[in-house]
């Protein structure tokens, strides 16, 4: 079982604040890194998949960066809105597997109006 | 378009009873299929994955088992449930390597 860590575990921010979370993963055996958004009572929703060192992806106010050499990815949310409240999961995929994902425990974000 | 179904949505079972959770995918062929569990206060844990009919790989030793009797059907089973089997079970599928995994709606299992 591969160790994927996310921090912080939970976060409360005011509406309009920008915020970021961290995902750490094994740097020695990398294939892909995925970010998901998981709202209560819904299925996890894919945000980004990144495969190359230095990758940057953006979707509206949400963006992500990837550093495979040091084994971390950041997720940024600019100008947080109440609808951004959710748990944000990252998943690491090593090579030579059946596309297995190893998930972190997630960062729970609450945006206070 | 592809859709993934899971049932039942919720289940309350006594300790020692059997379990069968079903997952089916529509709109694609030969998908990779996955079972995950989220126990209370924990992250998503990969339980089983399958790259084809009858091919099952287990990530974590436990009293659960999985089967893939048809290309787009994935079943999670147990002969005797334990209290520790309580949790939220998610099925997911993917097709191409590095592609996103798409999740079903999940099953909330409570073992009493």
């Amino acid at each position: 079982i591969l160790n994927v860590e996310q921090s912080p575990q939970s976060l409360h921010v005011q509406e309009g604040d920008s915020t970021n979370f961290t995902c750490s993963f094994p740097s020695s055996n990398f294939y892909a890194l995925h970010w998901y958004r998981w709202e209560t009572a819904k299925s996890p929703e894919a945000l980004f998949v990144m495969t190359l060192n230095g990758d940057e992806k953006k979707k509206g106010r949400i963006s992500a960066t990837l550093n495979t050499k040091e084994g971390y990815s950041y997720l940024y949310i600019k100008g947080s809105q109440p609808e951004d409240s959710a748990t944000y999961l990252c998943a690491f995929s090593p090579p030579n597997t059946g596309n297995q994902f190893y998930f972190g425990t997630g960062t729970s974000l609450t945006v206070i109006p | 378009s592809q859709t993934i179904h899971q049932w039942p949505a919720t289940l309350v079972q006594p300790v020692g009873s059997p379990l069968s959770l079903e997952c089916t995918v529509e709109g694609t062929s030969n998908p990779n299929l996955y079972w995950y569990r989220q126990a209370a206060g924990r992250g998503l844990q990969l339980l089983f994955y399958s790259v084809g009919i009858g091919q099952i790989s287990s990530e974590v030793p436990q009293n659960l088992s999985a089967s893939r009797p048809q290309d787009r059907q994935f079943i999670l089973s147990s002969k005797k449930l334990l209290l520790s089997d309580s949790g939220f079970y998610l099925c997911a599928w993917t097709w191409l390597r590095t592609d996103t995994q798409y999740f079903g709606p999940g099953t909330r299992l409570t073992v009493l």
Side-chain angles (χ1 to χ4, degrees):
Chain A
I1 297 178
L2 299 174
N3 196 31
V4 179
E5 296 182 351
Q6 289 187 247
S7 62
Q9 186 175 358
S10 65
L11 195 56
H12 290 71
V13 301
Q14 291 292 134
E15 182 176 354
D17 287 352
S18 294
T19 187
N20 65 85
F21 330 129
T22 304
C23 172
S24 301
F25 52 85
S27 59
S28 59
N29 204 23
F30 177 85
Y31 195 84
L33 193 285
H34 304 254
W35 280 100
Y36 283 80
R37 166 194 163 90
W38 195 4
E39 291 183 71
T40 303
K42 295 186 178 180
S43 305
E45 172 196 356
L47 291 174
F48 306 114
V49 53
M50 295 182 287
T51 56
L52 299 176
N53 185 46
D55 258 355
E56 291 188 27
K57 295 286 179 82
K58 187 174 181 181
K59 188 176 183 179
R61 293 178 291 100
I62 304 176
S63 60
T65 61
L66 178 68
N67 183 324
T68 61
K69 296 189 185 304
E70 296 182 40
Y72 64 84
S73 175
Y74 294 138
L75 186 80
Y76 301 91
I77 301 179
K78 184 178 178 182
S80 303
Q81 300 297 308
E83 57 265 30
D84 296 328
S85 297
T87 296
Y88 291 83
L89 298 170
C90 70
F92 168 79
S93 179
N96 304 320
T97 64
N99 204 20
Q100 296 161 256
F101 284 16
Y102 296 92
F103 281 87
T105 52
T107 293
S108 174
L109 173 67
T110 302
V111 181
I112 303 164
Chain B
S1 63
Q2 300 84 16
T3 55
I4 179 168
H5 304 278
Q6 283 185 248
W7 63 89
T10 59
L11 193 59
V12 180
Q13 292 284 97
V15 168
S17 63
L19 173 74
S20 181
L21 302 182
E22 189 163 343
C23 169
T24 58
V25 180
E26 295 178 355
T28 188
S29 59
N30 198 30
N32 286 359
L33 295 171
Y34 308 84
W35 278 112
Y36 292 90
R37 176 175 63 197
Q38 185 190 40
R42 314 227 7 217
L44 273 177
Q45 181 184 37
L46 178 64
L47 301 176
F48 300 95
Y49 70 96
S50 171
V51 298
I53 295 174
Q55 301 178 61
I56 308 295
S57 296
S58 174
E59 278 294 295
V60 181
Q62 58 217 321
N63 72 319
L64 299 171
S65 62
S67 62
R68 186 169 176 175
Q70 300 180 44
D71 181 44
R72 291 169 290 176
Q73 184 184 33
F74 205 21
I75 297 172
L76 183 70
S77 304
S78 174
K79 292 182 180 178
K80 289 186 179 182
L81 283 169
L82 306 172
L83 286 174
S84 57
D85 292 322
S86 293
F88 191 66
Y89 288 81
L90 281 166
C91 180
W93 76 275
T94 188
W95 187 50
L96 296 174
R97 184 130 181 75
T98 78
D99 202 359
T100 300
Q101 286 190 12
Y102 297 95
F103 287 87
T107 295
R108 173 73 60 190
L109 172 66
T110 303
V111 182
L112 301 175

